[in-house]
């Protein structure tokens, strides 16, 4: 009985920390960084939060940029879901092409 309660408490704490991280801390990890293209839909290189995109709820909205090639601006019209930001990696999901887009923190 005690093991079951302990597992419940550990699982509850994990879920609470994960949700808190997802909605409070994770977007802040993205905002003050410069990101370099690694894999998936090419959205420009480098990209930054203030210049290239915004996070609204769980969606990433890319801005059009006249200095970027036309292909990049076409790619930016797709729908992107903010998947995560862990250990210097920015993960997005492109719902149009059904692929994961990965950008790496610029050192």
């Amino acid at each position: 009985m005690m093991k079951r309660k302990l597992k419940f408490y550990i699982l509850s704490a994990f879920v609470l920390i994960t949700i808190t991280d997802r909605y409070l801390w994770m977007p802040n990890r993205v905002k003050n960084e410069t990101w370099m293209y690694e894999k998936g839909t090419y959205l420009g290189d480098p990209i930054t939060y203030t210049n290239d995109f915004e996070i609204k709820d769980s969606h990433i909205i890319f801005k059009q940029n006249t200095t970027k090639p036309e292909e990049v601006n076409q790619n930016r019209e797709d729908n992107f879901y903010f998947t995560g930001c862990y250990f210097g990696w920015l993960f997005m999901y492109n719902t149009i092409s059904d692929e994961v887009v990965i950008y790496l923190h610029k050192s």
Side-chain angles (χ1 to χ4, degrees):
M1 187 69 165
M2 189 62 124
K3 286 184 179 184
R4 182 180 275 177
K5 281 186 176 181
L6 182 61
K7 287 180 183 180
F8 174 75
Y9 290 135
I10 290 172
L11 181 61
S12 298
F14 176 76
V15 168
L16 183 62
I17 289 170
T18 303
I19 290 171
T20 302
D21 178 56
R22 174 71 175 92
Y23 291 101
L24 292 179
W25 302 320
M26 195 179 304
N28 290 329
R29 289 196 298 262
V30 173
K31 289 182 180 179
N32 299 321
E33 304 297 339
T34 300
W35 302 95
M36 302 299 288
Y37 176 76
E38 188 71 24
K39 178 184 170 208
T41 305
Y42 183 67
L43 302 164
D45 200 18
I47 60 172
T48 60
Y49 179 80
T50 53
N51 294 331
D52 295 291
F53 64 93
E54 292 179 359
I55 299 173
K56 293 191 180 184
D57 297 325
S58 292
H59 297 281
I60 296 181
I61 299 158
F62 278 90
K63 302 172 186 174
Q64 296 296 310
N65 186 331
T66 57
T67 63
K68 303 280 185 190
E70 183 61 31
E71 173 191 344
V72 170
N73 283 317
Q74 285 178 348
N75 290 342
R76 288 175 175 220
E77 293 175 1
D78 290 356
N79 295 322
F80 295 93
Y81 182 78
F82 179 47
T83 308
C85 180
Y86 303 102
F87 308 108
W89 297 87
L90 171 62
F91 299 97
M92 298 173 269
Y93 177 69
N94 185 338
T95 60
I96 303 297
S97 65
D98 193 33
E99 68 179 342
V100 175
V101 180
I102 301 173
Y103 272 74
L104 179 62
H105 172 259
K106 181 179 179 181
S107 309

